[in-house]
Amino acid sequence: MARSLAIDRRSTRDTGPLTTRAVCLAAGATRGMLRLYERDRLIATPQRSASGYRHYPPDTVARLVAIRALKEIGFSLREIALLLAERDQGALDPTRLRAMALEQVAAIDGRMARLQLVRRYLKAVAEGDLQLIDDPECSFLADFLAAAGLPDDAGAPAPARVKETLAW
């Protein structure tokens, strides 16, 4: 289940640098996420205190919330880095943004199709139809792979198609 995008703004009341803990609490992030985003340059490398603690600027929280929202939509970290870099330079390329949005819509449509198929099969099993379990042709897996947009060799029996596809 996806985590909520709600944030705890109580820990960002002052405008001074934020500790790792304060940023994590405020943005609903983990320390591991911060380190990953620092390494991938999605967020600025924080300053260090005299004792070596990281101190993040207050705008880090908003940036992390934006990253989480873009991830929730389905963008990869590479795509998010591109979008943030363009925004940081002043403007997003509308043509690229439109193309990326269209790709995400197609990906969402694909996930929805697969989920609808899985739901249909699970509902049948929940209602007592156990034919799925006894199906030697693995029709469910073949149907699922077809819904995933994977190549379908109509000449091969379903188990062979499943085995070939899963052998990656």
Side-chain angles (χ1 to χ4, degrees):
M1 175 177 275
R3 293 181 1 173
S4 167
L5 292 177
I7 60 171
D8 180 0
R9 287 186 169 79
R10 292 174 295 180
S11 57
T12 60
R13 285 190 187 143
D14 64 34
T15 58
L18 302 171
T19 64
T20 298
R21 182 178 187 280
V23 169
C24 288
L25 286 172
T30 65
R31 283 178 165 78
M33 290 166 70
L34 291 180
R35 302 305 176 262
L36 173 68
Y37 299 161
E38 285 173 32
R39 187 193 75 210
D40 291 349
R41 297 187 173 135
L42 293 168
I43 60 174
T45 302
Q47 294 182 354
R48 297 283 187 147
S49 70
S51 56
Y53 291 104
R54 288 174 165 85
H55 284 169
Y56 295 89
D59 65 346
T60 303
V61 172
R63 192 163 180 102
L64 287 168
V65 171
I67 292 167
R68 288 185 59 211
L70 290 167
K71 281 182 61 179
E72 185 77 20
I73 292 169
F75 287 105
S76 69
L77 289 181
R78 188 176 118 318
E79 292 168 325
I80 293 169
L82 176 68
L83 290 170
L84 291 175
E86 285 184 1
R87 192 198 74 189
D88 291 346
Q89 293 175 2
L92 294 170
D93 176 357
T95 303
R96 183 187 346 261
L97 184 59
R98 183 174 184 271
M100 291 171 79
L102 287 170
E103 286 176 19
Q104 287 308 316
V105 168
I108 290 167
D109 289 345
R111 286 193 303 267
M112 287 174 57
R114 290 187 301 278
L115 286 171
Q116 288 172 344
L117 177 69
V118 170
R119 184 186 187 285
R120 189 171 68 236
Y121 278 103
L122 286 175
K123 186 172 190 244
V125 170
E127 292 173 349
D129 181 359
L130 301 179
Q131 287 179 324
L132 259 174
I133 296 169
D134 298 327
D135 181 5
E137 292 295 310
C138 298
S139 297
F140 166 74
L141 287 176
D143 290 348
F144 183 78
L145 293 171
L150 297 172
D152 183 18
D153 179 3
R161 290 193 313 263
V162 169
K163 185 176 179 182
E164 282 178 19
T165 305
L166 295 179
W168 42 269

